Amino acid sequence: MITDLRHRMDVEDEYFSVIEKRDTEIMLKDKKLAEQDVKLAEQDEQIAQKDERLKQQENMLRSTLRLFLQSGMSMEEVATKMGMDAEKLKQLLS
């Protein structure tokens, strides 16, 4: 009877050991996912900041282009002065 009880306890220990191992793996994966979520949020913020800077640069370029054109320069002259393609500058004004 004691050996039977001992055997049952060993089986129970093995069963709980497997469950604990599985729980640990799940917790580690959850932690890793949470860390990845934080990194993705940071990357999203960085992308949003870069987008904002690009919009600001585009607006500055557009303003500069308009000033050159208002001063009497042709689109081709402005393109040459700015080192850009005239068609891209025309698109910028659209």
Side-chain angles (χ1 to χ4, degrees):
M1 184 162 235
I2 291 178
T3 56
D4 185 44
L5 180 62
R6 176 57 113 193
H7 176 70
R8 287 182 186 179
M9 289 174 66
D10 288 343
V11 169
E12 185 178 287
D13 285 345
E14 285 181 42
Y15 177 75
F16 284 121
S17 174
V18 169
I19 291 174
E20 286 176 7
K21 182 180 176 188
R22 178 74 177 171
D23 286 349
T24 301
E25 289 173 356
I26 290 171
M27 286 183 350
L28 290 173
K29 287 181 181 181
D30 285 347
K31 181 180 177 184
K32 190 174 183 177
L33 285 173
E35 290 170 354
Q36 288 176 343
D37 284 346
V38 169
K39 287 180 183 178
L40 286 174
E42 289 171 355
Q43 288 175 344
D44 285 346
E45 180 62 28
Q46 290 172 353
I47 289 171
Q49 289 173 356
K50 286 180 181 180
D51 283 347
E52 183 60 31
R53 284 194 301 268
L54 285 174
K55 286 179 186 177
Q56 289 173 354
Q57 289 175 348
E58 187 176 289
N59 287 336
M60 287 176 59
L61 182 59
R62 189 176 291 120
S63 295
T64 303
L65 175 59
R66 286 186 179 129
L67 286 173
F68 279 135
L69 293 173
Q70 288 173 356
S71 73
M73 293 177 74
S74 70
M75 184 64 76
E76 289 72 24
E77 289 173 319
V78 174
T80 302
K81 189 169 194 83
M82 295 178 81
M84 298 181 71
D85 182 55
E87 287 302 315
K88 287 186 181 180
L89 291 178
K90 286 179 187 175
Q91 289 175 357
L92 186 62
L93 290 176
S94 307

